[in-house]
Amino acid sequence: MAFEAALIGILCYLGALSSPWLLGLTGGWYLITRPLVSGMLVGFILGDVQTGIIIGVAVQAVYIAMVTPGGSMPADLNFVAFPAIALGILSNKGPEVAVALAATIGIAGTVLFNAMMVLNSWWNHRADIALEKGDERGVYLNSAIWPQFTNFLMRFIPTFIAVYFGAQYINAFMDSLPHIVLSTMNVLGGILPAVGIAILLKQIIKNYSMLIYFLVGFICIVFLKLNMVALVIVGSLLALIHYNYKPEPQTASAVKPADDEDEF
């Protein structure tokens, strides 16, 4: 597992919020760190792409509406996307348990993220000192090289340890848990994706009457058993009907002022 753990650790670093190598945030944070994508990559490395995608979809639903304003991290999505999904695949306990593991590891990952921010402040202070001394090499090292080295260590080492040692002990550990604990993890893992979807709806829906379209999609999937292609077609038709045939709001100039005779 050393080679697989090292690959996942490198991907964890490349997908970090402050990693510049994959076109900055575009290829790293907003592409491979999305659990749907990372689940496929981790599944490919561990030899189970199907399980990786299934777990990635479930985890993606939980964090689909997560935002990081001003660097504030409610959960470290980077650790969710790689070591957590890897442990979920290795546990062989299904996507619900994997989601519960991901939520726990994501919250714990914020501790390392905040520690990295503190270290970056220290490197920034050293860069200021080098700038006052006119040390161009010191400015470059303390603003570009050492912060990335710190970022790599704080991403690669925890991921490598979790995957390498987790591969040996995760199954025995999960089997040793009482049945009530596993049942609780299954229930919570099933609820969390619904919470993620609810947060997303709260952010994007301006008028609560728009929830009817979400309910239509729910009925199409659960009761009519439509696949995703058919659901996309139904959604496109509903969107066309809504935007083409909705009543246009009246403007002030379109309202005819009432004269005295009309009022009488």
Side-chain angles (χ1 to χ4, degrees):
M1 284 297 297
F3 179 70
E4 289 86 350
L7 283 179
I8 296 173
I10 292 172
L11 286 176
C12 186
Y13 164 67
L14 293 176
L17 185 62
S18 54
S19 179
W21 307 113
L22 296 179
L23 301 177
L25 294 178
T26 303
W29 181 254
Y30 289 118
L31 181 59
I32 68 170
T33 298
R34 300 303 99 181
L36 179 59
V37 179
S38 67
M40 180 191 68
L41 296 175
V42 173
F44 179 78
I45 293 172
L46 297 178
D48 194 348
V49 177
Q50 181 177 354
T51 302
I53 293 175
I54 292 173
I55 292 176
V57 170
V59 175
Q60 179 71 72
V62 179
Y63 297 97
I64 193 170
M66 192 188 82
V67 294
T68 55
S72 175
M73 286 280 223
D76 194 319
L77 190 60
N78 190 240
F79 282 113
V80 168
F82 293 102
I85 289 182
L87 291 177
I89 295 173
L90 295 170
S91 68
N92 295 318
K93 295 298 181 182
E96 293 83 6
V97 173
V99 167
L101 284 173
T104 304
I105 293 174
I107 295 173
T110 57
V111 176
L112 286 176
F113 177 81
N114 291 330
M116 187 186 69
M117 292 295 102
V118 172
L119 286 174
N120 284 344
S121 299
W122 184 68
W123 292 122
N124 184 59
H125 178 65
R126 286 176 56 88
D128 290 338
I129 295 175
L131 182 63
E132 292 176 356
K133 295 180 179 179
D135 183 4
E136 295 183 3
R137 184 173 181 273
V139 172
Y140 175 72
L141 290 175
N142 288 288
S143 61
I145 302 301
W146 299 133
Q148 283 303 312
F149 183 71
T150 303
N151 188 21
F152 175 78
L153 292 180
M154 300 191 73
R155 298 291 173 180
F156 179 84
I157 293 177
T159 302
F160 181 87
I161 293 174
V163 177
Y164 182 74
F165 291 101
Q168 304 176 42
Y169 303 113
I170 188 66
N171 284 326
F173 173 73
M174 297 301 293
D175 291 337
S176 67
L177 292 176
H179 178 70
I180 188 172
V181 175
L182 289 176
S183 299
T184 303
M185 293 179 71
N186 275 288
V187 172
L188 292 177
I191 293 174
L192 287 175
V195 174
I197 296 296
I199 295 174
L200 179 65
L201 292 175
K202 181 69 175 179
Q203 291 180 357
I204 66 176
I205 290 182
K206 299 180 180 179
N207 190 337
Y208 285 109
S209 64
M210 299 291 290
L211 285 172
I212 189 66
Y213 297 112
F214 174 77
L215 296 177
V216 170
F218 180 80
I219 291 172
C220 289
I221 290 291
V222 176
F223 296 102
L224 301 182
K225 306 297 182 182
L226 297 183
N227 57 32
M228 293 304 297
V229 176
L231 185 63
V232 169
I233 295 174
V234 171
S236 300
L237 293 176
L238 289 176
L240 180 65
I241 293 172
H242 178 82
Y243 286 102
N244 281 348
Y245 300 105
K246 69 178 181 179
E248 296 182 357
Q250 292 184 344
T251 60
S253 59
V255 179
K256 182 180 178 181
D259 52 19
D260 295 339
E261 183 178 353
D262 291 335
E263 290 179 355
F264 178 79

